[in-house]
Amino acid sequence: MSDRNAESDAGTGHARVELTPAAAELLRRLRAAHGPLMFHQSGGCCDGSAPMCYPDGEFRTGGSDVLLERLAVDGVAEPVPFWMSVSQHEVWRHTRLIVDVVEGRGSGFSLEAPEGVRFLIRSRLI
């Protein structure tokens, strides 16, 4: 995995990615069922720029990806890394990403798909 980290890009000392309570609860359930988790947001096919949740390490990251945050989730033993493709990072670099959950099934391969919900990004300028 790449160690490229974007936390210094914000320059604010604030988290670049945060979770809503609903997203944190869903991550606790997914962690119990699938083990350690990770996010990747590519802006590619399927759900476009929706964050995709995978078992940690299942989605291979490299030099074309940026590690934005290691999310601490109450009730989850290890942080959940949040990766983004470099091209998406260029678009989103001046925003705080807020991971939320909405009803409905996404069309991607994310772990929450069978739950009848999908992760969604909301954003705020920083």
Side-chain angles (χ1 to χ4, degrees):
M1 284 193 198
S2 170
D3 256 349
R4 186 168 180 176
N5 190 317
E7 291 172 313
S8 62
D9 289 344
T12 64
H14 295 265
R16 294 293 313 271
V17 182
E18 63 185 68
L19 300 168
T20 64
E25 177 57 33
L26 180 55
L27 285 173
R28 283 188 282 278
R29 291 196 325 259
L30 293 173
R31 169 59 174 92
H34 302 282
L37 305 169
M38 69 179 290
F39 277 109
H40 189 272
Q41 183 169 331
S42 69
C45 69
C46 303
D47 280 333
S49 61
M52 304 295 254
C53 184
Y54 301 100
D56 193 23
E58 184 172 300
F59 186 95
R60 296 185 58 98
T61 58
S64 62
D65 298 296
V66 177
L67 177 60
L68 291 182
E69 197 75 46
R70 293 185 188 278
L71 299 164
V73 182
D74 288 339
V76 174
E78 62 286 317
V80 178
F82 190 102
W83 293 89
M84 180 180 277
S85 68
V86 170
S87 61
Q88 282 295 293
H89 182 253
E90 289 304 313
V91 173
W92 293 87
R93 76 179 308 133
H94 299 294
T95 60
R96 174 173 297 149
L97 304 178
I98 303 158
V99 181
D100 200 359
V101 176
V102 294
E103 295 287 321
R105 183 179 157 100
S107 60
F109 304 103
S110 195
L111 288 175
E112 81 280 3
E115 304 282 324
V117 295
R118 63 188 179 95
F119 287 111
L120 174 81
I121 288 292
R122 301 182 190 285
S123 63
R124 183 176 320 151
L125 285 176
I126 53 175

mmCIF file of all heavy atoms in Angstrom, residues 74-121:
data_model
loop_
_atom_site.group_PDB
_atom_site.id
_atom_site.type_symbol
_atom_site.label_atom_id
_atom_site.label_comp_id
_atom_site.label_asym_id
_atom_site.label_seq_id
_atom_site.Cartn_x
_atom_site.Cartn_y
_atom_site.Cartn_z
ATOM 1 N N ASP A 74 -15.763 4.309 17.352
ATOM 2 C CA ASP A 74 -16.039 3.691 18.649
ATOM 3 C C ASP A 74 -16.573 2.282 18.434
ATOM 4 O O ASP A 74 -17.474 2.079 17.613
ATOM 5 C CB ASP A 74 -17.065 4.504 19.435
ATOM 6 C CG ASP A 74 -16.500 5.814 19.971
ATOM 7 O OD1 ASP A 74 -15.261 5.931 20.084
ATOM 8 O OD2 ASP A 74 -17.307 6.719 20.259
ATOM 9 N N GLY A 75 -16.013 1.318 19.152
ATOM 10 C CA GLY A 75 -16.454 -0.058 19.041
ATOM 11 C C GLY A 75 -15.737 -0.856 17.963
ATOM 12 O O GLY A 75 -16.013 -2.038 17.792
ATOM 13 N N VAL A 76 -14.835 -0.217 17.221
ATOM 14 C CA VAL A 76 -14.035 -0.900 16.199
ATOM 15 C C VAL A 76 -12.586 -0.832 16.658
ATOM 16 O O VAL A 76 -12.067 0.256 16.936
ATOM 17 C CB VAL A 76 -14.214 -0.257 14.803
ATOM 18 C CG1 VAL A 76 -13.268 -0.865 13.791
ATOM 19 C CG2 VAL A 76 -15.656 -0.395 14.348
ATOM 20 N N ALA A 77 -11.943 -1.984 16.744
ATOM 21 C CA ALA A 77 -10.606 -2.077 17.341
ATOM 22 C C ALA A 77 -9.543 -1.276 16.601
ATOM 23 O O ALA A 77 -8.665 -0.681 17.221
ATOM 24 C CB ALA A 77 -10.184 -3.542 17.441
ATOM 25 N N GLU A 78 -9.602 -1.276 15.282
ATOM 26 C CA GLU A 78 -8.551 -0.624 14.496
ATOM 27 C C GLU A 78 -9.149 0.514 13.667
ATOM 28 O O GLU A 78 -10.333 0.506 13.351
ATOM 29 C CB GLU A 78 -7.859 -1.628 13.568
ATOM 30 C CG GLU A 78 -8.761 -2.259 12.527
ATOM 31 C CD GLU A 78 -9.707 -3.306 13.088
ATOM 32 O OE1 GLU A 78 -9.284 -4.136 13.917
ATOM 33 O OE2 GLU A 78 -10.889 -3.285 12.701
ATOM 34 N N PRO A 79 -8.328 1.511 13.313
ATOM 35 C CA PRO A 79 -8.829 2.582 12.453
ATOM 36 C C PRO A 79 -9.199 2.051 11.067
ATOM 37 O O PRO A 79 -8.651 1.046 10.609
ATOM 38 C CB PRO A 79 -7.666 3.560 12.351
ATOM 39 C CG PRO A 79 -6.556 3.021 13.165
ATOM 40 C CD PRO A 79 -6.941 1.682 13.689
ATOM 41 N N VAL A 80 -10.122 2.741 10.420
ATOM 42 C CA VAL A 80 -10.578 2.384 9.080
ATOM 43 C C VAL A 80 -9.927 3.369 8.108
ATOM 44 O O VAL A 80 -10.272 4.551 8.096
ATOM 45 C CB VAL A 80 -12.118 2.454 8.972
ATOM 46 C CG1 VAL A 80 -12.583 2.132 7.558
ATOM 47 C CG2 VAL A 80 -12.770 1.525 9.996
ATOM 48 N N PRO A 81 -8.967 2.911 7.288
ATOM 49 C CA PRO A 81 -8.330 3.834 6.347
ATOM 50 C C PRO A 81 -9.298 4.279 5.252
ATOM 51 O O PRO A 81 -10.112 3.496 4.770
ATOM 52 C CB PRO A 81 -7.167 3.028 5.767
ATOM 53 C CG PRO A 81 -7.454 1.608 6.072
ATOM 54 C CD PRO A 81 -8.414 1.556 7.218
ATOM 55 N N PHE A 82 -9.207 5.566 4.882
ATOM 56 C CA PHE A 82 -10.029 6.130 3.816
ATOM 57 C C PHE A 82 -9.096 6.602 2.713
ATOM 58 O O PHE A 82 -8.347 7.561 2.888
ATOM 59 C CB PHE A 82 -10.872 7.302 4.324
ATOM 60 C CG PHE A 82 -11.913 7.755 3.340
ATOM 61 C CD1 PHE A 82 -13.239 7.390 3.505
ATOM 62 C CD2 PHE A 82 -11.579 8.540 2.248
ATOM 63 C CE1 PHE A 82 -14.210 7.801 2.594
ATOM 64 C CE2 PHE A 82 -12.529 8.957 1.330
ATOM 65 C CZ PHE A 82 -13.848 8.578 1.508
ATOM 66 N N TRP A 83 -9.124 5.908 1.584
ATOM 67 C CA TRP A 83 -8.281 6.185 0.424
ATOM 68 C C TRP A 83 -9.104 6.878 -0.653
ATOM 69 O O TRP A 83 -10.307 6.649 -0.775
ATOM 70 C CB TRP A 83 -7.736 4.886 -0.146
ATOM 71 C CG TRP A 83 -6.775 4.179 0.735
ATOM 72 C CD1 TRP A 83 -7.068 3.256 1.704
ATOM 73 C CD2 TRP A 83 -5.361 4.321 0.739
ATOM 74 N NE1 TRP A 83 -5.919 2.822 2.305
ATOM 75 C CE2 TRP A 83 -4.848 3.457 1.727
ATOM 76 C CE3 TRP A 83 -4.467 5.102 -0.006
ATOM 77 C CZ2 TRP A 83 -3.501 3.348 1.990
ATOM 78 C CZ3 TRP A 83 -3.111 4.994 0.261
ATOM 79 C CH2 TRP A 83 -2.638 4.121 1.246
ATOM 80 N N MET A 84 -8.424 7.670 -1.472
ATOM 81 C CA MET A 84 -9.059 8.321 -2.609
ATOM 82 C C MET A 84 -8.068 8.347 -3.757
ATOM 83 O O MET A 84 -6.861 8.514 -3.540
ATOM 84 C CB MET A 84 -9.459 9.751 -2.237
ATOM 85 C CG MET A 84 -10.124 10.532 -3.349
ATOM 86 S SD MET A 84 -10.575 12.204 -2.834
ATOM 87 C CE MET A 84 -12.135 11.863 -2.035
ATOM 88 N N SER A 85 -8.565 8.206 -4.975
ATOM 89 C CA SER A 85 -7.673 8.302 -6.132
ATOM 90 C C SER A 85 -7.126 9.729 -6.213
ATOM 91 O O SER A 85 -7.774 10.683 -5.795
ATOM 92 C CB SER A 85 -8.398 7.931 -7.421
ATOM 93 O OG SER A 85 -9.365 8.901 -7.736
ATOM 94 N N VAL A 86 -5.913 9.854 -6.722
ATOM 95 C CA VAL A 86 -5.265 11.161 -6.840
ATOM 96 C C VAL A 86 -6.127 12.119 -7.655
ATOM 97 O O VAL A 86 -6.290 13.292 -7.293
ATOM 98 C CB VAL A 86 -3.857 11.025 -7.466
ATOM 99 C CG1 VAL A 86 -3.277 12.382 -7.822
ATOM 100 C CG2 VAL A 86 -2.923 10.295 -6.523
ATOM 101 N N SER A 87 -6.728 11.634 -8.746
ATOM 102 C CA SER A 87 -7.544 12.522 -9.594
ATOM 103 C C SER A 87 -8.756 13.055 -8.823
ATOM 104 O O SER A 87 -9.109 14.230 -8.957
ATOM 105 C CB SER A 87 -7.979 11.808 -10.868
ATOM 106 O OG SER A 87 -8.777 10.682 -10.561
ATOM 107 N N GLN A 88 -9.393 12.219 -8.009
ATOM 108 C CA GLN A 88 -10.511 12.687 -7.188
ATOM 109 C C GLN A 88 -10.025 13.635 -6.107
ATOM 110 O O GLN A 88 -10.685 14.615 -5.783
ATOM 111 C CB GLN A 88 -11.247 11.501 -6.557
ATOM 112 C CG GLN A 88 -12.165 10.797 -7.501
ATOM 113 C CD GLN A 88 -13.303 11.683 -7.936
ATOM 114 O OE1 GLN A 88 -14.166 12.043 -7.146
ATOM 115 N NE2 GLN A 88 -13.309 12.063 -9.197
ATOM 116 N N HIS A 89 -8.862 13.351 -5.542
ATOM 117 C CA HIS A 89 -8.312 14.211 -4.498
ATOM 118 C C HIS A 89 -8.094 15.625 -5.020
ATOM 119 O O HIS A 89 -8.313 16.608 -4.305
ATOM 120 C CB HIS A 89 -7.008 13.626 -3.950
ATOM 121 C CG HIS A 89 -6.435 14.446 -2.860
ATOM 122 N ND1 HIS A 89 -5.318 15.215 -3.028
ATOM 123 C CD2 HIS A 89 -6.836 14.637 -1.587
ATOM 124 C CE1 HIS A 89 -5.053 15.847 -1.900
ATOM 125 N NE2 HIS A 89 -5.959 15.513 -1.021
ATOM 126 N N GLU A 90 -7.682 15.759 -6.262
ATOM 127 C CA GLU A 90 -7.489 17.094 -6.848
ATOM 128 C C GLU A 90 -8.808 17.871 -6.860
ATOM 129 O O GLU A 90 -8.822 19.077 -6.648
ATOM 130 C CB GLU A 90 -6.922 16.984 -8.259
ATOM 131 C CG GLU A 90 -5.482 16.528 -8.295
ATOM 132 C CD GLU A 90 -4.560 17.429 -7.469
ATOM 133 O OE1 GLU A 90 -4.646 18.679 -7.594
ATOM 134 O OE2 GLU A 90 -3.764 16.889 -6.681
ATOM 135 N N VAL A 91 -9.909 17.185 -7.087
ATOM 136 C CA VAL A 91 -11.225 17.822 -7.112
ATOM 137 C C VAL A 91 -11.714 18.141 -5.708
ATOM 138 O O VAL A 91 -12.279 19.199 -5.449
ATOM 139 C CB VAL A 91 -12.247 16.914 -7.846
ATOM 140 C CG1 VAL A 91 -13.654 17.470 -7.753
ATOM 141 C CG2 VAL A 91 -11.838 16.712 -9.295
ATOM 142 N N TRP A 92 -11.496 17.223 -4.750
ATOM 143 C CA TRP A 92 -12.061 17.314 -3.408
ATOM 144 C C TRP A 92 -11.097 17.892 -2.372
ATOM 145 O O TRP A 92 -11.440 17.970 -1.200
ATOM 146 C CB TRP A 92 -12.481 15.920 -2.941
ATOM 147 C CG TRP A 92 -13.624 15.329 -3.694
ATOM 148 C CD1 TRP A 92 -13.545 14.610 -4.846
ATOM 149 C CD2 TRP A 92 -15.006 15.372 -3.354
ATOM 150 N NE1 TRP A 92 -14.789 14.197 -5.235
ATOM 151 C CE2 TRP A 92 -15.706 14.655 -4.335
ATOM 152 C CE3 TRP A 92 -15.712 15.942 -2.301
ATOM 153 C CZ2 TRP A 92 -17.086 14.508 -4.309
ATOM 154 C CZ3 TRP A 92 -17.084 15.777 -2.279
ATOM 155 C CH2 TRP A 92 -17.758 15.071 -3.265
ATOM 156 N N ARG A 93 -9.895 18.298 -2.745
ATOM 157 C CA ARG A 93 -8.857 18.635 -1.770
ATOM 158 C C ARG A 93 -9.219 19.776 -0.823
ATOM 159 O O ARG A 93 -8.645 19.886 0.250
ATOM 160 C CB ARG A 93 -7.535 18.880 -2.462
ATOM 161 C CG ARG A 93 -7.399 20.202 -3.169
ATOM 162 C CD ARG A 93 -6.036 20.386 -3.822
ATOM 163 N NE ARG A 93 -4.974 20.138 -2.878
ATOM 164 C CZ ARG A 93 -3.902 19.375 -3.115
ATOM 165 N NH1 ARG A 93 -3.748 18.811 -4.294
ATOM 166 N NH2 ARG A 93 -2.988 19.194 -2.199
ATOM 167 N N HIS A 94 -10.144 20.630 -1.167
ATOM 168 C CA HIS A 94 -10.504 21.754 -0.309
ATOM 169 C C HIS A 94 -11.820 21.518 0.423
ATOM 170 O O HIS A 94 -12.492 22.481 0.807
ATOM 171 C CB HIS A 94 -10.577 23.051 -1.122
ATOM 172 C CG HIS A 94 -9.265 23.398 -1.746
ATOM 173 N ND1 HIS A 94 -8.154 23.733 -1.005
ATOM 174 C CD2 HIS A 94 -8.872 23.409 -3.033
ATOM 175 C CE1 HIS A 94 -7.142 23.968 -1.815
ATOM 176 N NE2 HIS A 94 -7.543 23.766 -3.053
ATOM 177 N N THR A 95 -12.173 20.263 0.596
ATOM 178 C CA THR A 95 -13.425 19.945 1.288
ATOM 179 C C THR A 95 -13.174 18.955 2.421
ATOM 180 O O THR A 95 -12.214 18.202 2.406
ATOM 181 C CB THR A 95 -14.461 19.326 0.325
ATOM 182 O OG1 THR A 95 -13.929 18.130 -0.218
ATOM 183 C CG2 THR A 95 -14.831 20.271 -0.794
ATOM 184 N N ARG A 96 -14.045 19.016 3.395
ATOM 185 C CA ARG A 96 -14.106 17.969 4.417
ATOM 186 C C ARG A 96 -15.171 17.008 3.934
ATOM 187 O O ARG A 96 -16.288 17.405 3.600
ATOM 188 C CB ARG A 96 -14.498 18.545 5.771
ATOM 189 C CG ARG A 96 -14.699 17.416 6.797
ATOM 190 C CD ARG A 96 -14.929 17.919 8.175
ATOM 191 N NE ARG A 96 -13.742 18.628 8.604
ATOM 192 C CZ ARG A 96 -13.749 19.659 9.444
ATOM 193 N NH1 ARG A 96 -14.874 20.082 9.940
ATOM 194 N NH2 ARG A 96 -12.637 20.242 9.788
ATOM 195 N N LEU A 97 -14.818 15.734 3.879
ATOM 196 C CA LEU A 97 -15.748 14.706 3.426
ATOM 197 C C LEU A 97 -16.476 14.127 4.623
ATOM 198 O O LEU A 97 -15.853 13.794 5.635
ATOM 199 C CB LEU A 97 -14.993 13.606 2.691
ATOM 200 C CG LEU A 97 -14.147 14.060 1.507
ATOM 201 C CD1 LEU A 97 -13.407 12.872 0.905
ATOM 202 C CD2 LEU A 97 -14.990 14.763 0.471
ATOM 203 N N ILE A 98 -17.776 14.010 4.513
ATOM 204 C CA ILE A 98 -18.604 13.457 5.583
ATOM 205 C C ILE A 98 -19.260 12.201 5.030
ATOM 206 O O ILE A 98 -20.060 12.267 4.089
ATOM 207 C CB ILE A 98 -19.667 14.476 6.039
ATOM 208 C CG1 ILE A 98 -18.966 15.770 6.482
ATOM 209 C CG2 ILE A 98 -20.531 13.885 7.146
ATOM 210 C CD1 ILE A 98 -19.840 16.986 6.451
ATOM 211 N N VAL A 99 -18.884 11.054 5.591
ATOM 212 C CA VAL A 99 -19.435 9.770 5.154
ATOM 213 C C VAL A 99 -20.769 9.573 5.864
ATOM 214 O O VAL A 99 -20.834 9.582 7.090
ATOM 215 C CB VAL A 99 -18.480 8.601 5.462
ATOM 216 C CG1 VAL A 99 -19.072 7.280 4.973
ATOM 217 C CG2 VAL A 99 -17.107 8.841 4.847
ATOM 218 N N ASP A 100 -21.820 9.403 5.080
ATOM 219 C CA ASP A 100 -23.162 9.203 5.607
ATOM 220 C C ASP A 100 -23.736 7.926 4.998
ATOM 221 O O ASP A 100 -23.107 7.291 4.137
ATOM 222 C CB ASP A 100 -24.034 10.405 5.254
ATOM 223 C CG ASP A 100 -25.266 10.533 6.147
ATOM 224 O OD1 ASP A 100 -25.479 9.684 7.044
ATOM 225 O OD2 ASP A 100 -26.028 11.496 5.948
ATOM 226 N N VAL A 101 -24.924 7.553 5.421
ATOM 227 C CA VAL A 101 -25.622 6.366 4.923
ATOM 228 C C VAL A 101 -27.018 6.791 4.500
ATOM 229 O O VAL A 101 -27.684 7.550 5.206
ATOM 230 C CB VAL A 101 -25.723 5.283 6.022
ATOM 231 C CG1 VAL A 101 -26.528 4.098 5.547
ATOM 232 C CG2 VAL A 101 -24.359 4.850 6.477
ATOM 233 N N VAL A 102 -27.460 6.307 3.338
ATOM 234 C CA VAL A 102 -28.816 6.572 2.873
ATOM 235 C C VAL A 102 -29.469 5.251 2.468
ATOM 236 O O VAL A 102 -28.783 4.281 2.156
ATOM 237 C CB VAL A 102 -28.839 7.571 1.687
ATOM 238 C CG1 VAL A 102 -28.363 8.942 2.128
ATOM 239 C CG2 VAL A 102 -28.024 7.066 0.520
ATOM 240 N N GLU A 103 -30.778 5.245 2.483
ATOM 241 C CA GLU A 103 -31.536 4.071 2.051
ATOM 242 C C GLU A 103 -31.324 3.845 0.563
ATOM 243 O O GLU A 103 -31.155 4.797 -0.199
ATOM 244 C CB GLU A 103 -33.030 4.271 2.319
ATOM 245 C CG GLU A 103 -33.395 4.377 3.779
ATOM 246 C CD GLU A 103 -33.315 3.058 4.503
ATOM 247 O OE1 GLU A 103 -33.692 2.013 3.915
ATOM 248 O OE2 GLU A 103 -32.870 3.058 5.661
ATOM 249 N N GLY A 104 -31.370 2.605 0.167
ATOM 250 C CA GLY A 104 -31.255 2.269 -1.246
ATOM 251 C C GLY A 104 -29.987 1.492 -1.510
ATOM 252 O O GLY A 104 -28.983 1.644 -0.835
ATOM 253 N N ARG A 105 -30.046 0.663 -2.497
ATOM 254 C CA ARG A 105 -28.907 -0.184 -2.831
ATOM 255 C C ARG A 105 -28.082 0.473 -3.926
ATOM 256 O O ARG A 105 -28.602 0.849 -4.968
ATOM 257 C CB ARG A 105 -29.414 -1.544 -3.293
ATOM 258 C CG ARG A 105 -28.313 -2.508 -3.594
ATOM 259 C CD ARG A 105 -28.905 -3.837 -4.031
ATOM 260 N NE ARG A 105 -27.938 -4.550 -4.809
ATOM 261 C CZ ARG A 105 -27.183 -5.537 -4.331
ATOM 262 N NH1 ARG A 105 -27.331 -5.911 -3.101
ATOM 263 N NH2 ARG A 105 -26.310 -6.133 -5.097
ATOM 264 N N GLY A 106 -26.805 0.605 -3.680
ATOM 265 C CA GLY A 106 -25.903 1.113 -4.697
ATOM 266 C C GLY A 106 -25.629 0.033 -5.729
ATOM 267 O O GLY A 106 -26.020 -1.124 -5.565
ATOM 268 N N SER A 107 -24.954 0.404 -6.798
ATOM 269 C CA SER A 107 -24.686 -0.574 -7.850
ATOM 270 C C SER A 107 -23.254 -1.071 -7.825
ATOM 271 O O SER A 107 -22.808 -1.718 -8.755
ATOM 272 C CB SER A 107 -24.993 0.051 -9.213
ATOM 273 O OG SER A 107 -24.192 1.188 -9.415
ATOM 274 N N GLY A 108 -22.529 -0.797 -6.762
ATOM 275 C CA GLY A 108 -21.124 -1.195 -6.688
ATOM 276 C C GLY A 108 -20.913 -2.475 -5.922
ATOM 277 O O GLY A 108 -21.837 -3.256 -5.687
ATOM 278 N N PHE A 109 -19.672 -2.672 -5.506
ATOM 279 C CA PHE A 109 -19.276 -3.895 -4.809
ATOM 280 C C PHE A 109 -19.028 -3.643 -3.334
ATOM 281 O O PHE A 109 -18.394 -4.443 -2.662
ATOM 282 C CB PHE A 109 -18.007 -4.458 -5.457
ATOM 283 C CG PHE A 109 -18.186 -4.706 -6.925
ATOM 284 C CD1 PHE A 109 -17.646 -3.837 -7.856
ATOM 285 C CD2 PHE A 109 -18.914 -5.792 -7.373
ATOM 286 C CE1 PHE A 109 -17.822 -4.056 -9.214
ATOM 287 C CE2 PHE A 109 -19.088 -6.015 -8.723
ATOM 288 C CZ PHE A 109 -18.541 -5.143 -9.647
ATOM 289 N N SER A 110 -19.508 -2.555 -2.807
ATOM 290 C CA SER A 110 -19.275 -2.175 -1.427
ATOM 291 C C SER A 110 -19.999 -3.137 -0.476
ATOM 292 O O SER A 110 -21.085 -3.638 -0.793
ATOM 293 C CB SER A 110 -19.758 -0.739 -1.221
ATOM 294 O OG SER A 110 -19.268 -0.191 -0.036
ATOM 295 N N LEU A 111 -19.396 -3.373 0.689
ATOM 296 C CA LEU A 111 -19.916 -4.367 1.640
ATOM 297 C C LEU A 111 -21.321 -4.080 2.150
ATOM 298 O O LEU A 111 -22.019 -4.996 2.565
ATOM 299 C CB LEU A 111 -18.963 -4.472 2.842
ATOM 300 C CG LEU A 111 -17.635 -5.152 2.603
ATOM 301 C CD1 LEU A 111 -16.752 -5.058 3.851
ATOM 302 C CD2 LEU A 111 -17.825 -6.607 2.202
ATOM 303 N N GLU A 112 -21.750 -2.827 2.144
ATOM 304 C CA GLU A 112 -23.073 -2.509 2.697
ATOM 305 C C GLU A 112 -24.210 -2.804 1.736
ATOM 306 O O GLU A 112 -25.387 -2.752 2.123
ATOM 307 C CB GLU A 112 -23.130 -1.033 3.150
ATOM 308 C CG GLU A 112 -23.379 -0.019 2.061
ATOM 309 C CD GLU A 112 -22.148 0.335 1.242
ATOM 310 O OE1 GLU A 112 -21.059 -0.241 1.451
ATOM 311 O OE2 GLU A 112 -22.278 1.195 0.358
ATOM 312 N N ALA A 113 -23.928 -3.125 0.485
ATOM 313 C CA ALA A 113 -24.970 -3.325 -0.527
ATOM 314 C C ALA A 113 -26.083 -4.286 -0.077
ATOM 315 O O ALA A 113 -27.268 -3.976 -0.246
ATOM 316 C CB ALA A 113 -24.357 -3.780 -1.848
ATOM 317 N N PRO A 114 -25.775 -5.440 0.518
ATOM 318 C CA PRO A 114 -26.851 -6.347 0.939
ATOM 319 C C PRO A 114 -27.705 -5.813 2.089
ATOM 320 O O PRO A 114 -28.774 -6.350 2.365
ATOM 321 C CB PRO A 114 -26.106 -7.612 1.390
ATOM 322 C CG PRO A 114 -24.757 -7.525 0.770
ATOM 323 C CD PRO A 114 -24.460 -6.063 0.646
ATOM 324 N N GLU A 115 -27.259 -4.737 2.740
ATOM 325 C CA GLU A 115 -27.996 -4.169 3.875
ATOM 326 C C GLU A 115 -29.160 -3.281 3.433
ATOM 327 O O GLU A 115 -29.912 -2.801 4.268
ATOM 328 C CB GLU A 115 -27.041 -3.337 4.751
ATOM 329 C CG GLU A 115 -25.822 -4.079 5.247
ATOM 330 C CD GLU A 115 -26.142 -4.984 6.419
ATOM 331 O OE1 GLU A 115 -26.988 -4.614 7.262
ATOM 332 O OE2 GLU A 115 -25.530 -6.067 6.493
ATOM 333 N N GLY A 116 -29.263 -2.994 2.126
ATOM 334 C CA GLY A 116 -30.330 -2.122 1.640
ATOM 335 C C GLY A 116 -30.030 -0.643 1.837
ATOM 336 O O GLY A 116 -30.933 0.197 1.762
ATOM 337 N N VAL A 117 -28.779 -0.328 2.101
ATOM 338 C CA VAL A 117 -28.336 1.056 2.272
ATOM 339 C C VAL A 117 -27.045 1.234 1.482
ATOM 340 O O VAL A 117 -26.467 0.263 1.003
ATOM 341 C CB VAL A 117 -28.091 1.400 3.759
ATOM 342 C CG1 VAL A 117 -29.393 1.352 4.548
ATOM 343 C CG2 VAL A 117 -27.042 0.481 4.372
ATOM 344 N N ARG A 118 -26.612 2.495 1.363
ATOM 345 C CA ARG A 118 -25.328 2.736 0.719
ATOM 346 C C ARG A 118 -24.658 3.928 1.374
ATOM 347 O O ARG A 118 -25.320 4.823 1.899
ATOM 348 C CB ARG A 118 -25.487 2.948 -0.782
ATOM 349 C CG ARG A 118 -26.294 4.144 -1.170
ATOM 350 C CD ARG A 118 -26.545 4.153 -2.675
ATOM 351 N NE ARG A 118 -27.338 5.299 -3.046
ATOM 352 C CZ ARG A 118 -26.846 6.449 -3.489
ATOM 353 N NH1 ARG A 118 -25.551 6.608 -3.614
ATOM 354 N NH2 ARG A 118 -27.638 7.438 -3.804
ATOM 355 N N PHE A 119 -23.333 3.889 1.352
ATOM 356 C CA PHE A 119 -22.572 5.027 1.841
ATOM 357 C C PHE A 119 -22.671 6.148 0.816
ATOM 358 O O PHE A 119 -22.786 5.901 -0.385
ATOM 359 C CB PHE A 119 -21.103 4.648 2.062
ATOM 360 C CG PHE A 119 -20.882 3.788 3.267
ATOM 361 C CD1 PHE A 119 -20.505 2.462 3.126
ATOM 362 C CD2 PHE A 119 -21.043 4.296 4.549
ATOM 363 C CE1 PHE A 119 -20.299 1.661 4.226
ATOM 364 C CE2 PHE A 119 -20.845 3.502 5.661
ATOM 365 C CZ PHE A 119 -20.463 2.179 5.499
ATOM 366 N N LEU A 120 -22.617 7.377 1.298
ATOM 367 C CA LEU A 120 -22.727 8.566 0.478
ATOM 368 C C LEU A 120 -21.795 9.627 1.056
ATOM 369 O O LEU A 120 -21.623 9.695 2.269
ATOM 370 C CB LEU A 120 -24.168 9.078 0.522
ATOM 371 C CG LEU A 120 -24.473 10.398 -0.162
ATOM 372 C CD1 LEU A 120 -24.631 10.154 -1.660
ATOM 373 C CD2 LEU A 120 -25.735 10.999 0.419
ATOM 374 N N ILE A 121 -21.194 10.431 0.188
ATOM 375 C CA ILE A 121 -20.336 11.523 0.651
ATOM 376 C C ILE A 121 -21.112 12.818 0.619
ATOM 377 O O ILE A 121 -21.746 13.175 -0.366
ATOM 378 C CB ILE A 121 -19.078 11.653 -0.244
ATOM 379 C CG1 ILE A 121 -18.118 10.503 -0.013
ATOM 380 C CG2 ILE A 121 -18.370 12.991 -0.009
ATOM 381 C CD1 ILE A 121 -17.460 10.492 1.341
#
